[in-house]
Amino acid sequence: MATAMPRPATPMTPPKVVSDWVDHVAKITRPDRIHWCDGSEQEYQGLVRRMLASGDLVELNQQTHPGCYLHRSNPTDVARVEHLTFVCTHHSHDAGPNNNWMDPVDAKRLMTDLFRGCMKGRTLYVVPYCMGPIDSPYSRCGVEITDSAYVAANMKLMTRMGRAALERIGREGRFVKGLHSTGELDPDRRFIMHFPEELTIMSYGSGYGGNALLGKKCHALRIASWQARDEGWMAEHMLIVGIENPRGETHYIAAAFPSACGKTNLAMLIPPASMPGWKVWTVGDDIAWLQPGPDGRLYAINPEAGYFGVVPGTNAHTNRHAHEMISGDTIFTNVAVTADNQPWWEGLEDGIPAVDWQGRPYDASKGPAAHPNSRFTVSAKQNPSYSPKADAPEGVPISAVVFGGRRRELAPLVYQARNWAHGVLVGASVASETTAAATGKVGVVRRDPMAMKPFCGYNYGDYWAHWLSFAGKVEHLPKIFHVNWFRRDADGRFLWPGFGENLRVLEWIIGRCEGRAQAIETPIGFLPTAEALNLDGLDIDPATVRELLAVRPEPWRKELADIEEYIDSFDERTPRDLKAELADVKRRLA
Ligand code: OXD
Ligand code: MN
């Protein structure tokens, strides 16, 4: 079948390395047709038409939401599956205790058996893509082979997909190979396998974003983190945001928070009315690739070109820009719909759900109308705060790196690490309550160093050593901070208003980067004094501010003991310098 298959449907001439691999895959998977994606608008419309005909997409109200469609996934396939995600390295130690590991030979045998004949009756889409601006030396390319039109259409929105990427691959000869099939969507025949030593991904049995849009978590984080360590850069689970002050000066901040902890909201923050003259520019909302730049600073690009964001909670008050940008040309996954076919989700301020995310008449006793991990896929260009620097091949210089988690207790609103090495410890200590972005229990506090627990493609011990190594390599490293927007009082109420008001915290962070803002030194790092935070126009009482900025030694001593146990679980790979930093904080707390 494969040899009789028509050559590319478009006049693109694929590089031989790519066409040989496609032929090889087609021999195993036996598709009826092969479609080489050129990334054109016409092609996207064709994919949409095909999915409307097959029922994979449902048309939403085109008067209120032009170009918007709904995909209802299989109800067992709604999130990332960390327990079915593997890093397959020759030595298990290289994957580390932070990853599930399988021997690469066994993993390939298992996957090849699953892929055998799986595309019979289906179309094989060849999706060439570039992660990062097409002309950036920091970008890297890949090709995803998939049998899902939904994946091909999402990849068009999420990456620089098509002809230009294929041309770049032709020039470079190197690309990440990602093979994907939705298979039978059977959770018992579902695996997401990574072979970082061969820059290869194999994903079977899921159509969900993080499992199936291979450019995102699989390539831009798991494989790229490995590649970055080898090549001297960093691939991180971070948003990138430009904060412009009323004097017109812009600082760029990269911030790592675990999944569904508000990265998209922070990246698109709307300044509060009481902070006139401030502007916020979105470079990226989920992933940052960071490289030492020629002037001794760390530069970041966003490898993605679109957003795959959590829908519930999005409204004109929580995230006005996201709310606006998803009113057209958006693919929704697993939201509910109103009687007149508009998308609906919990947290939307108007409309009534008529049909739930599974296509059933809405019945509140059956749970939320939209799935808690329902998503929008949209091109980043639709974001009203899209940064003019988002396509800059040189990236943007990073002034501050911010870590954060969802913690009801303990972690204060903000603190600054003493120096880079201490900041690496702060990043390694991130813990957060789990969310619906991955299958499993929601709301359990777990360690999530640098918000990379599900995404670091190698041993965390080696990863921390890589982070520490930048201290010798980059002259003007960013300052490192930790924030917590999620502190609650004894009645479970949030202490901090969050959203746009978070700009006040970013203002202090920028002030620290410029050497202006006041701080007091505590055992865990530098904290703002209540006076150093700009609280003008904010209705918050002084006792709440004191609580938000409190550092109590006893619970922190317990926290440090827990962090120590965690980082020691990476055995001899845990860098000695990281342990020394931890010992130093313990001494300060004693
Ligand atoms: C995401 C995630 O989809 O982190 O970005 O799960
Ligand atoms: Mn993410």
Side-chain angles (χ1 to χ4, degrees), residues 80 208 216-217 237 259-260 263 286 308 375 437 455:
R80 286 183 289 98
Y208 172 76
K216 192 172 179 63
K217 303 301 187 181
H237 192 203
S259 307
K263 284 202 299 299
D286 194 41
F308 181 68
R375 297 279 178 148
F455 310 120

Side-chain angles (χ1 to χ4, degrees), residues 210-326:
N211 305 328
L213 311 179
L214 300 186
K216 192 172 179 63
K217 303 301 187 181
C218 301
H219 177 165
L221 287 175
R222 297 194 193 96
I223 299 287
S225 59
W226 177 286
Q227 224 179 344
R229 190 245 327 236
D230 285 353
E231 297 174 5
W233 50 282
M234 300 164 115
E236 299 298 330
H237 192 203
M238 291 177 174
L239 66 93
I240 310 164
V241 68
I243 309 288
E244 186 180 324
N245 66 22
R247 293 187 299 282
E249 299 150 350
T250 304
H251 278 276
Y252 293 92
I253 294 176
F257 306 142
S259 307
C261 283
K263 284 202 299 299
T264 306
N265 290 344
L266 189 65
M268 297 177 191
L269 182 150
I270 308 283
S274 51
M275 292 181 75
W278 289 82
K279 291 194 189 118
V280 172
W281 301 105
T282 316
V283 180
D285 81 325
D286 194 41
I287 301 178
W289 285 359
L290 302 143
Q291 291 263 6
D295 60 357
R297 290 190 289 173
L298 204 56
Y299 280 73
I301 60 163
N302 171 16
E304 301 189 280
Y307 310 122
F308 181 68
V310 177
V311 190
T314 306
N315 63 47
H317 294 104
T318 55
N319 191 335
R320 194 175 77 225
H321 287 161
H323 187 244
E324 263 171 51
M325 79 183 173
I326 62 177

